[in-house]
Amino acid sequence: MTKITVQTVVASNAQRAWDCYTQPEHITKWNFASDDWHCPSASNDLRVGGKYNARMEAKDGSWGFDFEAIYSNIDSGKSFTYVMGDGRAADVVFEGQGNNTAVTVTFDAEDQNPAEMQKAGWQAILDNYKKYTEAN
């Protein structure tokens, strides 16, 4: 299976970066790839076997879906792995670098869309996360 990696460096300490990435009240503010989409709700049971759910919708109401995954590994404040409903996995790593934190997401590509399109979408979401975390 093809793995795709996206990354950003956030001007934030690792704990704040982790909190903004994992807490539902933050997730709803950044978890979308473009400005014509939003994330109206999210829940996150951050434990092995716990479920992550983020509702992603077009703002015009034309399309939406639930992104769901189950956690298979968690190193609190540092990394986690979750498995999506179709069996693909994603690893998210937070590496503190003083006042900055590198956030790296590596995920199994799906076979419905070109890898470059998937990478661009996940990178756009990560870029929104960076913008939100640095502004709040």
Side-chain angles (χ1 to χ4, degrees), residues 89-107:
D91 297 305
V92 183
V93 177
F94 298 79
E95 186 180 353
Q97 303 170 337
N99 293 328
N100 294 319
T101 304
V103 181
T104 305
V105 180
T106 302
F107 64 97

Side-chain angles (χ1 to χ4, degrees), residues 7-117:
Q7 184 176 39
T8 192
V9 176
V10 183
S12 172
N13 67 52
Q15 186 61 54
R16 172 89 180 131
W18 174 270
D19 290 347
C20 286
Y21 202 97
T22 60
Q23 294 176 357
E25 64 269 25
H26 296 300
I27 294 167
T28 58
K29 305 290 195 289
W30 59 261
N31 192 28
F32 40 88
S34 64
D35 289 340
D36 54 344
W37 278 68
H38 65 150
C39 180
S41 63
S43 61
N44 196 14
D45 184 5
L46 191 57
R47 62 181 176 82
V48 172
K51 184 177 183 180
Y52 172 87
N53 180 291
R55 179 72 187 166
M56 301 170 89
E57 295 180 352
K59 287 182 179 175
D60 68 6
S62 63
W63 175 250
F65 65 96
D66 288 315
F67 181 92
E68 296 180 338
I70 303 294
Y71 289 100
S72 60
N73 187 40
I74 297 172
D75 184 357
S76 190
K78 296 181 180 165
S79 67
F80 62 81
T81 301
Y82 59 63
V83 179
M84 296 167 260
D86 60 5
R88 295 179 303 123
D91 297 305
V92 183
V93 177
F94 298 79
E95 186 180 353
Q97 303 170 337
N99 293 328
N100 294 319
T101 304
V103 181
T104 305
V105 180
T106 302
F107 64 97
D108 295 333
E110 41 93 349
D111 57 12
Q112 301 298 308
N113 296 291
E116 283 306 312
M117 179 187 288

